[in-house]
Amino acid sequence: MTKADIVERIYKEAGFSKKEAAELVDLVFKVIKDTLAKGEKVKISGFGNFSIRDKATRIGRNPQTGTAMNISARRVLTFKPSQILKEDITERYAHRLDENGKENTALPIKEAKPRALSSFLNNEDDTVYDDGDDDDNDE
């Protein structure tokens, strides 16, 4: 899905003009980017958390040659989906997987009321607190 697809969906489903929908999408993304640029977390209830994390310098390997190399320290953007979002996706698509994990795309997606949206609209907090261990090996 592209930004233009999001604008199109908002235009069709929310009744905004295409220009208003595009301005709304741009504004939401700008607010998220500006907040993250300040080093603050962005939590969207029922969807997930965006945050910036510092990664230390470390030794890595060139996958083609196997040669060791230094990977410089950097800041990375992380996204952790909410439990509600994970459950919504699983509920709608899990029946399409066979015992070997292969997806049968011929099977239709299950219709379900997305709880992620309803929890946001009802302002429910679905925060899952982690143990503080940042050793998740996420790149």
Side-chain angles (χ1 to χ4, degrees):
M1 176 174 251
T2 66
K3 187 173 165 182
D5 294 331
I6 295 170
V7 169
E8 187 69 20
R9 291 273 307 265
I10 291 172
Y11 160 71
K12 287 180 178 176
E13 295 179 24
F16 290 107
S17 71
K18 280 195 177 183
K19 183 180 180 199
E20 290 171 328
E23 289 172 353
L24 181 65
V25 169
D26 284 339
L27 180 59
V28 169
F29 288 157
K30 181 184 182 319
V31 169
I32 292 171
K33 286 191 283 188
D34 291 349
T35 303
L36 290 167
K38 289 189 268 182
E40 298 174 22
K41 291 182 180 181
V42 174
K43 177 183 177 185
I44 302 172
S45 182
F47 188 73
N49 299 308
F50 294 90
S51 63
I52 301 293
R53 191 164 76 91
D54 291 325
K55 295 191 87 169
T57 301
R58 60 190 172 88
I59 304 275
R61 299 224 176 261
N62 179 327
Q64 292 178 333
T65 64
T67 307
M69 55 189 283
N70 283 330
I71 300 173
S72 61
R74 64 195 191 282
R75 290 196 136 164
V76 295
L77 174 65
T78 63
F79 173 72
K80 186 169 185 174
S82 73
Q83 192 62 37
I84 289 174
L85 178 61
K86 289 192 264 185
E87 289 169 2
D88 281 351
I89 300 297
T90 301
E91 181 180 324
R92 297 181 74 188
Y93 293 91
H95 69 284
R96 292 170 57 154
L97 297 176
D98 67 16
E99 59 276 353
N100 297 320
K102 300 265 183 188
E103 184 177 12
N104 180 354
T105 56
L107 293 173
I109 298 167
K110 280 188 181 176
E111 286 298 316
K113 181 179 179 191
R115 288 183 23 224
L117 178 59
S118 62
S119 74
F120 172 74
L121 294 174
N122 295 325
N123 200 24
E124 295 172 7
D125 188 0
D126 66 324
T127 303
V128 175
Y129 296 97
D130 68 7
D131 59 2
D133 179 10
D134 284 337
D135 191 23
D136 294 332
N137 295 327
D138 45 350
E139 295 297 315

